[in-house]
Amino acid sequence: MKGDYELENRRYVIGGVAIVVVIIYIIRLFTLQIMSDDYKKNADSNAFLKKIEFPARGVITDRNDELLVYNQNSYDLMVVMNEESGRLDTLDFCNALGITKEYFIKRMKDIKSLPGYSRYTQQLFMSQLSEKDFRIFQEKMYRFPGFYIQHRSLRQYVYPYAAHVLGDVGEVSPSDIEEDDYYMSGDYIGKLGIERSYEKELRGEKGVQILLRDAHGRIQGNYMNGALDSKPVPGKDLKLSIDIKLQALGERLMQGKIGSIVAIEPSTGEVLCMVSSPSYDPRDMIGRQRGKHHRELQLDPQKPLLNRSIMGQYPPGSTFKTSQGLTFMTEGIIDPEQTAYPCHRGFVFKGLRVGCHGHGSPLSLVPALSTSCNGYFCWGLYHMLGNRTKYKNVQQAMNTWRDYMVSMGFGYKLGIDLPGEKRGLIPNADFYDRAYKSDWSGLTVISISIGQGEVNLTPLQIANLGATIANRGFFYTPHVVKSVKGEPLRKEFTERRYTKASREAYEYVVKGMRSSVLGGTCKALNRSDIIMCGKTGTAQNKGHDHSVFMGFAPMDNPKIAIAVYVENGGFGATFGVPIGGLMIEQYLHGKLSDGSERRATEFQNRKISYGSGER
């Protein structure tokens, strides 16, 4: 009985093992034939070659239809690893391309480690062959199995200007491929500027040709006579709001200086120029030398890759006083006609002194703006934050002030159609509660009333302040693309954004800025043919002060609002005002007068030394 029982158990064990083996074989066969496409790919690769056809990238023009960016023929060398398979005469191949054997070995190894690599599909071996290199290699290509030439286009930039706006195009990174399955290794993508933010519009859609091959790998024609092929769809052309002549003048005037110029058309929010200095030539960022030049720019201590117009966060200085006048008047803190606030060469109260230059005192709002009186606006903030009839505590008053600033486009990104915009800083009550453990008052934060202290704005935000005053209380989100071919402009660029300040307050501030031109800190702008309005700023700094100007023209039918920011440039009237005046003249008249041209050359040649901190 015992023997029969053991025999019976042994039979079950053997049977179980056999069943498991059969199940394993079934699963493996299912995986190979149904779940895996390795064999299918292998078979397909012998019969078909999928040839990607790349679309022409959209061209870019300025607001006057001046061509800025176009395409030029280029060629990429592709390899199908499964076809190459060690059959290549490496020395002959390297000689044909003018490369070393070490480079060839390393490149082939690198290709196999790329995301999405497949030995059955074309992989990029070398990009952007010149027409000459292409012709030489094409004659010998029959000797090199597995290698193919693929036609591409190479970006070309007409002018050496507007690099930060235009951006550039480079090879996709692994993260680009992971984020969008449109791309594969070796593809190109916009890296910076408009090329990046309008990548999907500019790139178009790829096409594909399915080619039939014989047993020897020779192309026999299109599979099914091209019934399954698709044509590439060209990218959409962009028309920028930039005026390239204005841009060129701005970059010329900012040579040898660090800073920014931003000009906006108030009636649309279109950016007319965006200068960030130092800059670079966008034509250096194309072709196979792009990586080398990009590295050099990265190592430059003056950071030419930084778009200071939207990334630089600076104290706005006295240009900020316009926003204070608007707030104090709308909130009823000041009567614009009354000369209520004294200025004894500054704001002097309870042992605190904020200095000011000499001028008549006391003043009302318009002459306070004209002379850029520190005392007037310090008193205004002090009385606003200390007003317990209107606000229950300093925190409520501070947050009311903050709300006005935010409505004017400060403290948050404006939403321009360029990558990398910074928000600046507008403090609120919580900010100061944390900093001073709730023990603070208007005197503690008095410097924010004159654009110093914790307040930071970008040059774009300062220019937008000018556009908002020109419009008497509203602005459009600034944008550098005027139109996309075949598409309406994005909705957010066509809607008015109103501030909390009253129309009446804006009229007084316009009068103050006009008075500044007639006989105040901007009097160098006074001329009969253009009715300008302006406000200077001298932003305090650890070294030499920054020179700032914000203005617009003409006064009653504004076509341009502008901000000029020159680091370590001294008084606003030293660099900001004359540069701003030349830019306004260029845009409104289309050219500079002979006298203005001489002044432009003078400012072009005026350098600021940043190494030693001395001008």
Side-chain angles (χ1 to χ4, degrees):
M1 290 293 292
K2 184 178 180 181
D4 292 341
Y5 179 74
E6 291 177 351
L7 183 62
E8 188 71 19
N9 283 345
R10 193 177 297 120
R11 188 183 306 132
Y12 286 134
V13 171
I14 294 171
V17 170
I19 291 171
V20 169
V21 170
V22 170
I23 291 173
I24 291 172
Y25 271 104
I26 291 173
I27 291 173
R28 181 60 180 155
L29 287 171
F30 178 80
T31 302
L32 290 173
Q33 297 183 25
I34 306 299
M35 300 298 291
S36 174
D37 60 354
D38 284 353
Y39 289 103
K40 181 178 183 302
K41 282 182 179 178
N42 196 16
D44 285 349
S45 69
N46 291 330
F48 304 114
L49 174 65
K50 289 186 178 180
K51 184 179 179 182
I52 300 296
E53 292 189 303
F54 289 90
R57 198 168 175 88
V59 301
I60 302 176
T61 60
D62 84 338
R63 67 186 297 106
N64 300 312
D65 297 315
E66 190 76 23
L67 184 64
L68 303 180
V69 187
Y70 65 98
N71 303 304
Q72 189 176 55
N73 286 338
S74 176
Y75 304 90
D76 288 349
L77 182 58
M78 312 299 290
V79 60
V80 178
M81 293 294 195
N82 194 53
E83 296 177 20
E84 189 273 331
S85 297
R87 296 187 293 160
L88 189 71
D89 183 336
T90 305
L91 185 59
D92 189 18
F93 179 85
C94 291
N95 288 336
L97 285 175
I99 61 175
T100 64
K101 184 177 180 180
E102 290 73 23
Y103 175 86
F104 172 84
I105 294 171
K106 182 179 184 302
R107 182 59 189 155
M108 295 294 273
K109 182 180 179 181
D110 290 344
I111 289 172
K112 294 176 182 178
S113 64
L114 293 172
Y117 165 75
S118 170
R119 58 195 175 99
Y120 304 112
T121 60
Q122 292 188 8
Q123 306 292 321
L124 177 68
F125 178 83
M126 183 177 289
S127 65
Q128 300 175 351
L129 269 68
S130 67
E131 191 81 28
K132 179 182 177 182
D133 292 338
F134 162 67
R135 298 299 177 196
I136 294 173
F137 186 81
Q138 189 180 40
E139 294 177 1
K140 302 179 179 181
M141 196 165 64
Y142 70 92
R143 304 181 190 174
F144 312 128
F147 284 87
Y148 302 88
I149 289 291
Q150 185 166 260
H151 177 261
R152 297 291 290 268
S153 59
L154 185 66
R155 266 326 215 190
Q156 294 289 335
Y157 300 89
V158 179
Y159 297 98
Y161 311 122
H164 294 99
V165 174
L166 297 174
D168 65 308
V169 175
E171 192 172 333
V172 291
S173 66
S175 61
D176 293 327
I177 297 171
E178 290 177 7
E179 290 173 8
D180 191 339
D181 58 9
Y182 173 87
Y183 301 103
M184 57 187 297
S185 179
D187 282 357
Y188 302 140
I189 190 173
K191 291 291 186 180
L192 297 168
I194 284 300
E195 295 277 22
R196 183 71 180 188
S197 54
Y198 284 82
E199 165 66 15
K200 289 186 178 179
E201 290 84 354
L202 286 167
R203 75 187 184 189
E205 293 293 332
K206 297 173 185 173
V208 63
Q209 275 188 300
I210 303 177
L211 304 175
L212 190 63
R213 299 191 289 198
D214 62 18
H216 300 287
R218 294 172 296 198
I219 302 298
Q220 298 300 301
N222 292 78
Y223 177 61
M224 295 179 62
N225 293 319
L228 301 180
D229 294 353
S230 61
K231 296 281 188 184
V233 179
K236 296 176 179 177
D237 297 341
L238 300 186
K239 184 174 186 175
L240 302 190
S241 59
I242 298 294
D243 181 325
I244 194 61
K245 292 182 180 178
L246 186 66
Q247 181 77 26
L249 175 61
E251 296 197 22
R252 174 186 164 196
L253 294 172
M254 289 297 289
Q255 285 182 22
K257 309 165 190 71
I258 295 177
S260 171
I261 304 173
V262 180
I264 298 173
E265 183 178 65
S267 61
T268 61
E270 294 174 0
V271 175
L272 303 173
C273 80
M274 181 174 282
V275 176
S276 179
S277 181
S279 186
Y280 58 93
D281 190 336
R283 297 173 298 185
D284 289 338
M285 301 294 278
I286 60 176
R288 290 161 64 181
Q289 296 299 310
R290 178 188 179 276
K292 174 188 173 184
H293 290 142
H294 189 271
R295 180 65 175 163
E296 290 172 351
L297 293 171
Q298 278 185 317
L299 296 175
D300 190 321
Q302 292 194 338
K303 301 185 182 346
L305 288 175
L306 179 70
N307 185 353
R308 289 171 168 83
S309 299
I310 60 174
M311 297 177 179
Q313 300 175 91
Y314 301 103
S318 294
T319 61
F320 199 60
K321 291 172 183 173
T322 56
S323 68
Q324 304 310 286
L326 293 166
T327 303
F328 302 154
M329 183 175 166
T330 305
E331 281 293 286
I333 304 301
I334 62 172
D335 180 333
E337 298 292 346
Q338 288 185 356
T339 56
Y341 298 144
C343 181
H344 305 295
R345 283 192 172 268
F347 174 80
V348 182
F349 188 63
K350 292 186 178 181
L352 177 66
R353 179 181 180 85
V354 179
C356 188
H357 54 277
H359 57 73
S361 174
L363 300 174
S364 60
L365 177 59
V366 169
L369 286 168
S370 176
T371 60
S372 197
C373 174
N374 284 343
Y376 185 92
F377 296 97
C378 286
W379 279 115
L381 183 70
Y382 174 74
H383 283 139
M384 180 175 178
L385 297 187
N387 190 324
R388 292 300 164 265
T389 302
K390 192 173 184 68
Y391 316 106
K392 66 180 182 180
N393 53 39
V394 69
Q395 285 82 5
Q396 184 185 23
M398 186 71 211
N399 284 338
T400 300
W401 178 88
R402 182 274 320 272
D403 291 344
Y404 273 86
M405 299 304 102
V406 170
S407 77
M408 295 177 194
F410 310 144
Y412 292 90
K413 296 177 182 179
L414 280 167
I416 191 170
D417 50 349
L418 286 171
E421 182 189 4
K422 300 299 182 183
R423 61 183 290 177
L425 176 61
I426 294 294
N428 58 15
D430 287 342
F431 180 93
Y432 289 122
D433 282 344
R434 291 192 301 270
Y436 297 105
K437 298 180 180 178
S438 300
D439 183 20
W440 59 279
S441 67
L443 289 178
T444 314
V445 302
I446 202 69
S447 61
I448 64 174
S449 65
I450 57 172
Q452 296 289 162
E454 292 71 35
V455 171
N456 276 325
L457 305 184
T458 65
L460 175 66
Q461 290 171 330
I462 300 173
N464 192 63
L465 171 62
T468 306
I469 298 170
N471 289 333
R472 277 65 165 179
F474 68 88
F475 64 93
Y476 295 92
T477 299
H479 50 284
V480 297
V481 170
K482 186 177 178 68
S483 63
V484 180
K485 187 175 182 180
E487 289 186 5
L489 193 64
R490 294 177 188 175
K491 184 179 178 182
E492 63 264 31
F493 300 139
T494 62
E495 296 178 339
R496 289 185 177 185
R497 296 167 61 178
Y498 286 89
T499 76
K500 289 173 65 65
S502 68
R503 171 75 184 225
E504 183 185 12
Y506 275 101
E507 294 293 356
Y508 271 96
V509 168
V510 170
K511 289 177 183 177
M513 293 176 66
R514 179 60 187 155
S515 178
S516 180
V517 172
L518 292 174
T521 57
C522 295
K523 60 186 176 182
L525 297 178
N526 192 15
R527 51 192 294 171
S528 59
D529 57 334
I530 303 176
I531 308 303
M532 300 191 199
C533 297
K535 183 72 194 75
T536 55
T538 305
Q540 294 177 9
N541 181 46
K542 291 180 180 179
H544 289 288
D545 294 340
H546 303 317
S547 179
V548 196
F549 168 74
M550 178 269 292
F552 62 91
M555 181 175 78
D556 293 323
N557 185 26
K559 302 294 184 184
I560 180 173
I562 191 166
V564 180
Y565 208 106
V566 180
E567 293 187 25
N568 305 137
F571 294 116
T574 304
F575 280 98
V577 168
I579 289 176
L582 290 168
M583 295 291 287
I584 290 173
E585 179 184 347
Q586 168 67 41
Y587 183 69
L588 294 182
H589 288 173
K591 62 179 182 179
L592 297 178
S593 66
D594 291 342
S596 294
E597 180 60 41
R598 287 192 292 272
R599 286 193 295 275
T601 301
E602 176 193 342
F603 275 93
Q604 176 184 350
N605 294 328
R606 289 181 67 178
K607 316 296 183 185
I608 298 176
S609 175
Y610 293 93
S612 64
E614 296 179 357
R615 288 197 302 278

